Structures are given as structure tokens and as C-alpha cells.
Amino acid sequence: ERATHNLKTFSISAMDFKFISPTELSVGDIIECSLILPKEYGTIIFKARIEARDEVYDTEYTARYTVIDNACMQTLLYYIYMYSNSLD
């Protein structure tokens, strides 16, 4: 049986993302994710590999996308583009 957790992301890029997890994860773990983007940007579904655990804040992790289909990647890139332009 697969565990489901609500995680809070705090940094998203086209290659990886950072998040807080109440569940302990290990570097190398593969996680399956559904990430709900703000507003009407939609949801992206992907798999990611845990790349690092923060040395100070042990509930903060960095994961790199391993499997993400083209449509989800396009949605992610559009969100990143729109978000970065709204900060200007």
C-alpha cells in the first residue's frame, strides 16, 4: 500500500523542487507526486528522486524530477515563467 502525504513546496524549478515533509525520506527514494499549482495553472503529476536532505532543517528535502510527461512539463514551465514575470 502506498502512503499519501500532503507536502509543502517552497522552491520549484524546471529541474527540481524543495519541500517540507513530516515523513522521513532517504536520499535515493523515489516519490510519486501530484503538485497542485496556484490559481488556475493546474496539477502536474510526476515521479522524483530525493537528492538531498537539509543538514540543518531535517524536514526539508530537494528532489529532482525523474519521470514527467511533456504536457506536465509545459504546464510547469508556463507556471514558472508567469510567476517569475509577476515578480518584476
Side-chain angles (χ1 to χ4, degrees), residues 12-68:
I12 301 173
S13 76
M15 294 189 62
D16 58 22
F17 63 102
K18 295 182 179 188
F19 64 96
I20 297 169
S21 174
T23 303
E24 185 173 337
L25 301 167
S26 298
V27 171
D29 285 353
I30 301 295
I31 57 175
E32 295 182 27
C33 303
S34 295
L35 178 60
I36 301 168
L37 298 170
K39 300 184 181 178
E40 62 279 342
Y41 291 105
T43 300
I44 59 171
I45 299 168
F46 56 90
K47 290 183 181 179
R49 178 182 186 276
I50 304 300
E51 296 288 318
R53 183 177 183 179
D54 191 275
E55 293 180 13
V56 176
Y57 303 103
D58 63 359
T59 59
E60 294 183 5
Y61 297 88
T62 300
R64 182 175 297 262
Y65 309 108
T66 58
V67 177
I68 183 168

